[in-house]
Amino acid sequence: MTERYTHGHDDAVLRSHGWRTAENSARYLLDVLEPGASVLDVGCGVGTITADLARAVGGGHVLGLDRSAEVVARAASTHRAANLRFDVGDVYDLDHPDGAFDVVHAHQVLQHLGDPVRALTELRRVCRPGGIVAVRDADFSAMSWWPAVPGLQEWREVYLQVARANGGEPDAGRHLLGWAERAGLEQLRWSASTWCFTSEEDRGWWSRTWADRITATDLADQAIELGVADRELLERCGDAWTSWASHPEGCFVVPHGEVIGRP
Ligand SMILES: C[S@@+](CC[C@H](N)C(=O)[O-])C[C@H]1O[C@@H](n2cnc3c(N)ncnc32)[C@H](O)[C@@H]1O
């Protein structure tokens, strides 16, 4: 299994991840999360969703885990609460006994993995019988936008190719139900939800993060290294993001699949 994290942890990436909240990215989980629950948030990144989950469970406790020591350190220094902890850990090999948590959550993680079913099987193992495993991932091929700036089609093509060359599945949202079934989870509930960017402010930051990511982060380096794009194509993709954002009718929809299952 070859697997490499497509986005890396450059500032443009972490800025974008830091916009996420439980409300805009884990509503389907908040609807069933009970106060007092113990929660494991795997692949927690900079931890904004994790910190919201800690607030939501009140007297419960939340552990955020990520493979990257760098983002774990950043999350731990940004979010402090008595019931919140961050640590380094790998989704394939969690250092916790069977059934250790009431709720196990992973947001935008499975799409980057070479073996999402093995990861889900490990998430199921550390969740108590009858508890909740909740996963949500974007679906890049289903993203849509207006106006139809041609360079954005090229951007998507570059992203899909790099993510797949890295062993991931960028259309993960539509695969979650099948993966969860194969991992042995039961009582599965699949739903979908979106991020929508249309105000001038939202278009501005969303386009800037992607313009930076496609021209100047690990994603750009990997695209060139893999022969998926040359510098000229990447600059065209970055310009397309700027052009899209300047359009007063601009809108962008990011669909996600989400699954709740029980061990
Ligand atoms: C797209 S980010 C999502 C971060 C966070 N869940 C959020 O939505 O803001 C994916 C995260 O998964 C982490 N990751 C990738 N592979 C992992 C693995 N095998 N085990 C644990 N974390 C992993 C990355 O380091 C990264 O921080």
Side-chain angles (χ1 to χ4, degrees), residues 68-116:
S68 160
E70 184 191 338
V71 288
V72 166
R74 183 161 165 155
S77 64
T78 314
H79 308 287
R80 294 175 196 276
N83 69 341
L84 176 62
R85 211 161 54 78
F86 292 95
D87 206 350
V88 175
D90 188 332
V91 67
Y92 291 120
D93 187 17
L94 296 169
D95 193 15
H96 301 278
D98 296 0
F101 297 91
D102 298 318
V103 177
V104 181
H105 171 250
H107 183 250
Q108 313 283 26
V109 178
L110 296 183
Q111 65 188 278
H112 298 293
L113 304 179
D115 194 343

Side-chain angles (χ1 to χ4, degrees), residues 41-55:
D41 185 21
V42 182
C44 63
V46 290
T48 48
I49 299 172
T50 327
D52 282 347
L53 295 177
R55 280 183 278 276

Side-chain angles (χ1 to χ4, degrees), residues 149-173:
V149 181
L152 287 189
Q153 291 287 2
E154 293 184 295
W155 158 79
R156 171 155 58 194
E157 203 41 52
V158 169
Y159 184 84
L160 290 173
Q161 286 188 45
V162 173
R164 291 198 170 115
N166 285 342
E169 175 44 72
D171 296 341

